[in-house]
Amino acid sequence: MKRTKIKDALNATAPMDEILIKGWVRSKRDNKGFSFVALNDGSCLATIQAIVDHTPEIEEALSRIGTGASVGIVGELVESPGKGQKWEIRGKKLEVIGEADQETFPLQKKRHSDEFLRSIAHLRPRTNKYGAMFRMRSALAQAVHKYFSEKDFFYIHTPIITGSDCEGAGEMFRVTSLEAGSQLPPEEDFFGQPSQLTVSGQLSAEMFSLSLGDVYTFGPTFRAENSNTPRHVAEFWMIEPEIVFSDLSDDMDLGEDMIKYLVAHMLDNCAEDVELFAKWVDKGLMPTLQTILDKPFERVPYTEAIEILKKTKKKFEYPVEWGMDLQTEHERFLCEEKFKKPVYVYDYPKTIKPFYMRMNDDNTTVAAMDCLVPRIGELIGGSQREERMDVLVARMDEMGLNKDDYWWYLDSRKYGTAPHAGFGMGFERMLMLVTGVSNIRDVMPFPRTPKSLDF
Ligand code: 4AD
Ligand code: MG
């Protein structure tokens, strides 16, 4: 007999004479002559309740199971007299698949702190909250592909091992096949040159945008920035679209449309799981998401944003000055207090941005944009790219980059260059937005942060 997923059993339209359910015991309650066993198999938030009568065989099985054990139950699916669930199971057979040591099983019925659950990241998806989280993570990733597929974007697999530092921030993890402690030069290493884990697939995506048109990459990226914040991890997933014959304004349109689509998709497809977060994690979640759907995003030039930040009475930890990079406190002020909705800040000083961004006519700012959202700050960072060969080369020289390393990138400006733009959206930050969870470690199956590589 094939097992029925609990989600499907709970959505049944008619009773069933015989059904096989498999899952993990959430609770067991013994009564005189019968027991209640609540099972969850991860397919949905809800558990299904089984009532099993005490035959000698079943009593033997019951004596071996407790919370966390995996079992199979064969029985009849009948309407439940209890509140809150439509169906329950009248169990006839109870099979113990895997016992769970009750002395040490760390998940109790009470609510555990996020900090504690992080220390048992291998078991936390067994809880309601993290089960919901990782179902939503899966749905969000699939929605990203659905969005781009509906828009006729091509999906490009950009390399994970690379020889170039796209962002120029020097926060890359080295990749080597040389033995630890080896004094051999990079020429003797696997690729015959220094190699690193990518910080962004953008430069590769640009090449494909200048060939196939609208493209995107969606893959893991790595940054060795030593910042222990609730919004940074060393390994994260980035969604990077690149659009051609397009400018910064098209780029901002795309980001806004995509965020709205993803929020709507999650509300439509993960209602039960979203509700859990709205109820237990962030009471303001639904209004925040509704505002994102209903309101056009604000768009303010960087220079104007600096003026706004200087004028407010609010005290910031980092003083505001033209030329500085915005800190999270500034970003959150702009979208949470000033505009009360997502905000694009654009046209940043060239001095705080990478070489590839398009120079504006003022020769001091570049066509960059960040999309800031409530509670998180920067969700998207993007730009129009410098398509003019002479300007690009001048900028690379100014920044001291070795043009030989980027010969192939420069070729794209030599042969049929075209205006193009793109952005990177932090996938985890998008998931934080739709769950209201405030620590990025809690939206990742096994987060990688400084001094932490368990699991
Ligand atoms: O702003 P960033 O650095 O932009 C780029 O990498 C561009 N090359 C993207 C492009 O134009 N194709 O990163 C993009 C986004 C950020 O806005 C943020 O959401 C996320 O990636 N991000 C991180 N997320 C988690 N942990 C980190 N350490 C992150 N660094 C960036
Ligand atoms: Mg950025």
Side-chain angles (χ1 to χ4, degrees):
M1 197 178 179
K2 262 205 160 150
R3 82 168 168 119
T4 302
K5 289 191 180 175
I6 290 173
K7 178 186 181 189
D8 297 327
L10 290 172
N11 284 325
T13 49
M16 289 160 83
D17 290 343
E18 199 170 64
I19 187 170
L20 167 61
I21 299 287
K22 290 181 179 177
W24 292 270
V25 175
R26 280 293 176 82
S27 66
K28 181 183 78 164
R29 255 185 316 133
D30 296 318
N31 293 284
K32 214 172 156 24
F34 66 96
S35 294
F36 291 113
V37 180
L39 282 195
N40 183 281
D41 66 0
S43 62
C44 60
L45 184 62
T47 54
I48 196 162
Q49 170 159 282
I51 298 136
V52 283
D53 288 330
H54 289 173
T55 64
E57 246 179 25
I58 282 183
E59 274 191 297
E60 190 277 331
L62 281 169
S63 73
R64 290 165 52 208
I65 62 169
T67 308
S70 58
V71 300
I73 296 180
V74 176
E76 201 182 334
L77 188 75
V78 298
E79 261 177 71
S80 169
K83 276 195 299 227
Q85 73 248 7
K86 186 156 178 247
W87 302 103
E88 63 185 28
I89 292 177
R90 294 248 142 217
K92 290 184 222 130
K93 260 191 256 162
L94 173 63
E95 182 203 352
V96 181
I97 298 171
E99 294 179 22
D101 178 13
Q102 295 301 293
E103 298 284 300
T104 54
F105 186 62
L107 294 172
Q108 307 300 320
K109 224 169 176 250
K110 65 169 182 141
R111 268 184 92 187
H112 295 289
S113 72
D114 291 323
E115 289 74 18
F116 171 70
L117 290 171
R118 247 171 254 153
S119 75
I120 50 164
H122 58 307
L123 291 173
R124 67 180 175 168
R126 298 258 196 110
T127 64
N128 279 344
K129 179 172 166 183
Y130 288 93
M133 172 60 75
F134 295 113
R135 279 188 296 275
M136 284 180 67
R137 187 175 168 112
S138 165
L140 186 64
Q142 289 172 343
V144 167
H145 290 299
K146 187 160 182 278
Y147 176 76
F148 286 121
S149 150
E150 285 171 12
K151 296 226 142 202
D152 285 330
F153 277 59
F154 296 107
Y155 176 29
I156 310 297
H157 292 113
T158 53
I160 288 173
I161 302 176
T162 177
S164 49
D165 181 358
C166 169
E167 296 305 293
E171 292 161 340
M172 303 186 82
F173 287 103
R174 297 273 311 275
V175 172
T176 178
S177 63
L178 294 178
E179 265 173 52
S182 163
Q183 299 297 313
L184 290 172
E187 296 79 61
E188 300 295 321
D189 205 343
F190 191 91
F191 296 105
Q193 66 171 86
S195 49
Q196 297 96 18
L197 293 178
T198 186
V199 294
S200 161
Q202 176 193 322
L203 303 186
S204 316
E206 279 188 54
M207 300 306 103
F208 276 78
S209 178
L210 291 167
S211 311
L212 303 192
D214 297 338
V215 302
Y216 72 106
T217 82
F218 180 12
T221 46
F222 308 85
R223 295 198 183 175
E225 52 191 333
N226 209 344
S227 45
N228 244 318
T229 83
R231 285 168 300 277
H232 291 89
V233 272
E235 175 180 299
F236 61 100
W237 285 64
M238 213 197 308
I239 302 147
E240 296 182 270
E242 194 70 33
I243 49 178
V244 74
F245 308 120
S246 302
D247 62 14
L248 190 68
S249 153
D250 301 320
D251 204 29
M252 290 193 273
D253 290 346
L254 176 67
E256 178 168 348
D257 188 59
M258 179 175 162
I259 291 171
K260 288 184 157 137
Y261 176 97
L262 294 176
V263 167
H265 179 95
M266 297 308 281
L267 291 173
D268 289 347
N269 293 274
C270 302
E272 194 182 50
D273 290 332
V274 177
E275 267 164 38
L276 177 144
F277 289 99
K279 187 165 172 206
W280 298 105
V281 174
D282 175 12
K283 292 259 188 285
L285 181 61
M286 288 305 185
T288 303
L289 297 182
Q290 203 55 50
T291 304
I292 291 175
L293 290 181
D294 294 346
K295 299 245 171 80
F297 294 5
E298 194 68 36
R299 299 185 186 193
V300 240
Y302 168 90
T303 302
E304 210 176 302
I306 290 291
E307 286 312 309
I308 293 170
L309 292 166
K310 273 187 160 167
K311 271 196 211 118
T312 171
K313 290 190 192 70
K314 194 180 169 94
K315 288 272 161 292
F316 296 113
E317 194 186 326
Y318 294 87
V320 179
E321 246 177 280
W322 197 96
M324 75 182 299
D325 212 352
L326 297 185
Q327 301 295 322
T328 303
E329 55 174 345
H330 308 128
E331 297 174 341
R332 290 187 59 173
F333 171 81
L334 289 172
C335 51
E336 288 170 22
E337 296 178 48
K338 174 71 185 173
F339 296 108
K340 300 192 166 55
K341 59 179 184 175
V343 179
Y344 276 115
V345 175
Y346 64 95
D347 288 349
Y348 281 80
K350 66 174 182 183
T351 45
I352 54 171
K353 291 294 180 187
F355 76 96
Y356 55 72
M357 294 189 177
R358 193 177 197 279
M359 191 64 66
N360 287 325
D361 292 343
D362 60 16
N363 213 23
T364 49
T365 63
V366 287
M369 60 87 158
D370 276 3
C371 183
L372 317 176
V373 296
R375 291 182 133 260
I376 292 161
E378 180 187 339
L379 169 64
I380 280 179
S383 65
Q384 185 172 338
R385 321 306 190 188
E386 185 55 77
E387 87 282 12
R388 299 161 296 186
M389 179 68 120
D390 52 336
V391 187
L392 182 60
V393 165
R395 186 80 187 116
M396 290 176 83
D397 286 339
E398 198 176 31
M399 294 178 79
L401 293 178
N402 182 358
K403 292 192 292 294
D404 291 343
D405 292 346
Y406 296 89
W407 65 271
W408 50 276
Y409 188 77
L410 291 169
D411 260 6
S412 68
R413 273 58 173 175
K414 194 164 149 194
Y415 307 119
T417 189
H420 59 291
F423 63 77
M425 171 192 281
F427 178 69
E428 282 75 21
R429 293 195 187 171
M430 185 64 210
L431 189 55
M432 291 168 77
L433 182 68
V434 292
T435 56
V437 163
S438 55
N439 195 316
I440 194 166
R441 291 163 181 77
D442 298 333
V443 303
M444 311 197 72
F446 299 111
R448 267 73 179 102
T449 51
K451 303 280 177 284
S452 157
L453 190 62
D454 275 340
F455 312 107

